[in-house]
Amino acid sequence: MPQTKPIVSIENVVASATIDQDLDLDDIQKKFPKVEYNPEQFPGAVFRLSKPRTATLLFRTGKMVCTGSKSEEMAKNAVKDVVEALRKGKIKIKNEAIVTIQNIVSAINLGGRIHLENLARILPRSMYEPEQFPGVIHRMIDPKVVILIFSSGKLVCTGAKTAQDVYRAINSLHATLEEKNLMRYE
């Protein structure tokens, strides 16, 4: 059967950011009652947005971590929206946030079944211990990602810094699976 194109869905983009100044988290919580801040349990405050639906952790040092976005652009916009909201709430922020994408997690469906034992033997930097975990853990060097491979043909790719890296990794793995005849299509 002919090769199918992988279906890739970006599930979560994690971005870090800094505004290069200290933040008064108690003041932020007073001005934004929906912000969750409990310093006895966790040193950061959680600032949630409904559009885009994200959560941004704010730290006293001015560092931030944004999770929940579905693209690099959405993550950058979410951080920008949080900074704007803080400014509108009379929190003085001098600089624009510098945002760095840390991790992109994607779910992939290759559309066929994979023989995991053969795959683990053939694919370098792969680990398969079915008693411990039902998939092959493959560590790719370029791009530097980890791909969890399941017999159903479904994959999870983590560690990418760009969406382009996700597609490069998946296309490379898919080509190897095809070339080594490790996929079976129903």
Side-chain angles (χ1 to χ4, degrees), residues 3-186:
Q3 173 176 325
T4 60
K5 195 171 184 332
I7 300 165
V8 178
S9 169
I10 292 178
E11 298 295 322
N12 187 22
V13 176
V14 178
S16 64
T18 183
I19 54 168
D20 200 28
Q21 75 179 59
D22 285 355
L23 289 171
D24 182 341
L25 299 182
D26 291 311
D27 190 33
I28 289 171
Q29 189 186 30
K30 280 184 200 122
K31 291 177 177 170
F32 296 89
K34 288 186 178 174
V35 167
E36 298 161 34
Y37 180 50
N38 190 340
E40 296 81 37
Q41 290 185 358
F42 184 73
V46 182
F47 194 114
R48 295 182 196 282
L49 294 176
S50 54
K51 282 191 178 173
R53 192 180 162 122
T54 57
T56 301
L57 300 174
L58 307 174
F59 295 96
R60 185 189 48 73
T61 59
K63 293 198 183 318
M64 303 176 192
V65 177
C66 175
T67 65
S69 58
K70 303 289 184 187
S71 72
E72 298 158 75
E73 197 60 35
M74 188 189 288
K76 290 174 183 172
N77 287 337
V79 170
K80 200 161 74 174
D81 292 350
V82 167
V83 169
E84 278 310 304
L86 291 172
R87 283 180 176 144
K88 282 183 185 160
K90 307 265 187 276
I91 304 292
K92 283 191 171 66
I93 297 178
K94 301 182 290 264
N95 305 312
E96 294 307 314
I98 299 163
V99 181
T100 307
I101 303 301
Q102 298 296 336
N103 185 18
I104 298 176
V105 179
S106 304
I108 300 96
N109 188 342
L110 296 179
R113 304 217 34 99
I114 302 170
H115 195 292
L116 295 182
E117 285 176 18
N118 291 348
L119 173 67
R121 273 195 293 269
I122 293 171
L123 203 58
R125 295 171 311 285
S126 293
M127 189 172 85
Y128 183 48
E129 294 178 21
E131 314 78 37
Q132 306 272 319
F133 184 72
V136 170
I137 302 168
H138 174 58
R139 296 180 189 286
M140 199 173 267
I141 291 173
D142 184 29
K144 190 174 191 241
V145 297
V146 174
I147 304 173
L148 308 177
I149 307 164
F150 300 95
S151 61
S152 63
K154 295 197 169 138
L155 318 173
V156 175
C157 178
T158 184
K161 303 280 191 201
T162 66
Q164 185 182 356
D165 282 350
V166 172
Y167 288 99
R168 232 169 26 101
I170 296 313
N171 290 334
S172 169
L173 177 64
H174 194 216
T176 301
L177 292 170
E178 290 285 332
E179 183 185 297
K180 306 281 187 195
N181 209 19
L182 293 167
M183 289 209 54
R184 189 175 76 248
Y185 299 96
E186 274 104 35

